[in-house]
Amino acid sequence: MNVLLISCYEIGRQPFGVASAASWLQEAGHDVDCLDLAVESLDEAKVKAAGLVAFYVPMHTATRIAIARLPEVVALKPDAHICFFGLYAPVNEEYLRKLGVQTVLGGEFEAALRQLAGRLARGEGVAAQQEGPVISLERQEFRVPDRGRLPLLGNYAKVDMGDGQQRVAGYTEATRGCRHVCRHCPIVPVYGGRFRVVQAGVVLADIGQQVRHGAQHITFGDPDFFNAPRHAIDIVRALHEEFPAVSYDVTIKIEHLRKQFRLLPVLHDTGCLFVTSAVEAVDEATLERYEKNHTRQEFIDVTREFRRIGLSFNPTFVTFSPWTTLDSYADLLSLLVELEMVDSVAPIQLAIRLLIPQSSRLLELPEMHDMIGPFDEAALCYPWTHADPQVDELHAQVLARAQEGTAAGQSRRTIFADVCRIVRDSLPPASPYRDRLSAERIAHAEVRDVPAMTEPWYCCAEPTEEQLLGASTGQV
């Protein structure tokens, strides 16, 4: 069976899910090819040769782009079996089937994808109903990902060291899913508070092959690297022992960082450049709604502990939600100035708007039903408008400034200062935040060279028109 695996976007990373699926399919004797439309054009010959075309959809943006490219693929190969696999496939199953997608796979998808290819190769055709579950959480023995059919690592996002130097970045995963059930998280509807471990030998072999192909840095894409802290620490110690010059970054909840302060020096000493954490908000009421299981003070404590041990901290936020007010937004910016985090926050993080996908646990909140409109299938989310038009206007201005400044290559500090000016202009004259966000106060915050990925967009970023239309724009 000729199988074509298509990735559309994964925040500038070479897609682990596609490489993992390719390994399982190749092992079973199928002819596998891969495309990553984030960095290469659609290859018509590859599409026409495929009996099974499977789109990898690990995030909202990727799913929107995949849906936009689907008609082009179907027109090229009308008799191909179409599959969508990855985190965002099962939560959008109903809409995908309306579009003609025949198989939808989420969770641990590799075995099911291999079984599907086997049935098609045997000529068993397409059943009226999908065989097997849409979501599988079966424990599996992973294979070392097959990356040979994907574009070279140099085509993807790099690590900007903050001093003008850049490093080629690889990407792997040590776990999937998450043991937590934060209300706003898109992982929860699929994994429901469970996670699965990728065997350490597989992770290290995957890192090794990427280093041999030029990787100088590895991003661990686990939703939470400390879901299995012993597993995680064993891996980074082995990584550092074998490749002491290779750096890495991870994502960890504030809750876990606070509980595992003793492990932070281990991260620092084994080459961790920075830790990303989905802080989301700093007001207690919103944190409770999200069920983040951390407090404002714990965020502050973690930030200061990172500063003490010399490890860079990369907080991310959902800055605009139905509960955002002009004061709460100004308070967040003021706190970032106080903590000297002006250079540590990517500009887009100042403009992220809450995304409410199908099956979100936010729908459990009675207040949500008065805030949202009917589900928008094309946008893959529930639309909402803020009760205060000033907040929506502020979001539009901040988003435009973040996008323009990033596109122009302006510094985080410059964009942050301009966002603060926009906020000051929105606040009433008597607001105390006008002084707290003054240009002088921002200028006096310590300047820091912080390492960061050159592709800073997070999972709530909307796809661009160029991505949706399939224009060849190179790195996105």
Side-chain angles (χ1 to χ4, degrees):
M1 167 61 59
N2 290 330
V3 182
L4 177 61
L5 303 174
I6 300 179
S7 177
C8 293
Y9 183 66
E10 199 173 359
I11 326 178
R13 305 159 172 168
Q14 190 187 64
F16 174 91
V18 166
S20 179
S23 181
W24 284 66
L25 290 162
Q26 183 71 21
E27 180 185 74
H30 301 289
D31 292 324
V32 184
D33 221 325
C34 302
L35 283 173
D36 188 348
L37 301 185
V39 296
E40 58 185 338
S41 301
L42 186 70
D43 188 320
E44 294 187 4
K46 290 182 179 180
V47 175
K48 291 177 179 178
L52 168 60
V53 177
F55 285 89
Y56 179 48
V57 288
M59 55 185 292
H60 177 262
T61 304
T63 312
R64 291 280 306 276
I65 299 169
I67 288 170
R69 304 303 298 269
L70 179 60
E72 186 178 1
V73 169
V74 171
L76 288 169
K77 189 66 183 295
D79 61 342
H81 186 98
I82 303 295
C83 171
F84 272 50
F85 69 103
L87 187 66
Y88 268 76
V91 295
N92 294 294
E93 178 188 5
E94 182 178 353
Y95 182 54
L96 293 175
R97 294 202 188 279
K98 287 181 183 178
L99 299 176
V101 176
Q102 294 143 298
T103 299
V104 176
L105 301 173
E108 307 307 288
F109 51 75
E110 285 90 348
L113 190 56
R114 182 175 63 183
Q115 291 165 6
L116 171 63
R119 289 196 300 271
L120 294 172
R122 294 190 296 271
E124 295 179 8
V126 180
Q129 276 192 315
Q130 177 176 326
E131 295 184 27
V134 170
I135 298 174
S136 171
L137 297 182
E138 292 293 321
R139 289 178 171 81
Q140 60 185 21
E141 290 292 326
F142 282 83
R143 278 59 170 171
V144 177
D146 182 350
R147 299 179 177 274
R149 296 163 178 78
L150 286 164
L152 298 176
L153 291 176
N155 292 285
Y156 292 91
K158 297 175 177 61
V159 177
D160 186 331
M161 298 299 292
D163 58 1
Q165 301 287 325
Q166 289 189 345
R167 294 183 181 179
V168 174
Y171 174 82
T172 195
E173 296 174 4
T175 59
R176 279 187 183 154
C178 185
R179 66 167 68 224
H180 297 277
V181 289
C182 304
R183 274 204 177 101
H184 65 300
C185 180
I187 298 167
V188 176
V190 175
Y191 281 89
R194 289 160 288 184
F195 72 98
R196 296 292 177 258
V197 168
V198 182
Q199 289 74 33
V202 172
V203 179
L204 293 168
D206 187 30
I207 291 171
Q209 68 177 343
Q210 292 181 78
V211 171
R212 288 190 292 275
H213 286 89
Q216 300 161 300
H217 176 90
I218 297 293
T219 290
F220 287 94
D222 310 39
D224 195 308
F225 197 59
F226 276 1
N227 269 325
R230 181 178 297 179
H231 174 66
I233 292 300
D234 286 348
I235 285 173
V236 296
R237 280 177 168 151
L239 161 61
H240 188 63
E241 182 177 351
E242 185 171 2
F243 304 110
V246 174
S247 57
Y248 67 91
D249 70 272
V250 297
T251 298
I252 305 174
K253 278 173 64 72
I254 293 292
E255 177 184 1
H256 285 167
L257 291 171
R258 186 66 187 86
K259 291 178 179 178
Q260 303 288 354
F261 269 0
R262 63 185 178 82
L263 296 181
L264 299 188
V266 179
L267 297 181
H268 176 274
D269 294 345
T270 54
C272 184
L273 279 185
F274 59 90
V275 175
T276 299
S277 190
V279 179
E280 314 302 34
V282 297
D283 67 284
E284 305 295 354
T286 301
L287 289 170
E288 288 178 9
R289 288 185 178 100
Y290 290 157
E291 287 193 4
K292 286 299 296 180
N293 291 326
H294 73 255
T295 65
R296 176 192 182 98
Q297 187 58 51
E298 286 172 329
F299 163 58
I300 294 171
D301 292 344
V302 166
T303 300
R304 289 173 174 164
E305 181 67 9
F306 269 70
R307 186 73 41 79
R308 187 186 71 80
I309 66 176
L311 185 58
S312 290
F313 187 39
N314 175 39
T316 65
F317 301 95
V318 179
T319 35
F320 288 89
S321 76
W323 308 288
T324 302
T325 66
L326 295 180
D327 276 355
S328 72
Y329 188 74
D331 178 57
L332 169 62
L333 298 184
S334 176
L335 182 60
L336 293 176
V337 175
E338 178 185 332
L339 295 174
E340 298 186 324
M341 297 288 284
V342 171
D343 301 305
S344 299
V345 179
I348 191 58
Q349 292 302 322
L350 305 176
I352 294 293
R353 196 170 190 272
L354 178 65
L355 192 71
I356 308 174
Q358 190 76 274
S359 304
S360 171
R361 285 197 63 225
L362 286 170
L363 301 174
E364 297 172 2
L365 298 173
E367 63 199 271
M368 289 303 303
H369 298 282
D370 295 327
M371 297 177 174
I372 61 175
F375 187 75
D376 185 337
E377 289 185 320
L380 307 181
C381 63
Y382 288 93
W384 61 270
T385 302
H386 201 283
D388 181 354
Q390 279 189 289
V391 176
D392 279 341
E393 175 58 27
L394 177 63
H395 171 256
Q397 293 182 57
V398 172
L399 178 61
R401 183 66 192 90
Q403 291 175 326
E404 291 165 3
T406 300
Q410 294 176 335
S411 71
R412 291 180 171 186
R413 180 167 292 249
T414 297
I415 299 170
F416 187 94
D418 283 349
V419 169
C420 288
R421 176 186 51 77
I422 292 169
V423 174
R424 289 198 307 273
D425 291 344
S426 302
L427 292 168
S431 171
Y433 292 108
R434 294 178 66 88
D435 289 336
R436 295 178 197 175
L437 297 178
S438 66
E440 293 78 16
R441 191 162 181 253
I442 296 166
H444 282 98
E446 183 178 347
V447 177
R448 298 180 183 277
D449 290 330
V450 295
M453 300 304 298
T454 57
E455 182 78 11
W457 295 78
Y458 203 54
C459 62
C460 295
E462 283 293 305
T464 65
E465 286 300 314
E466 289 81 5
Q467 288 172 320
L468 289 174
L469 294 173
S472 180
T473 57
Q475 181 67 49
V476 295

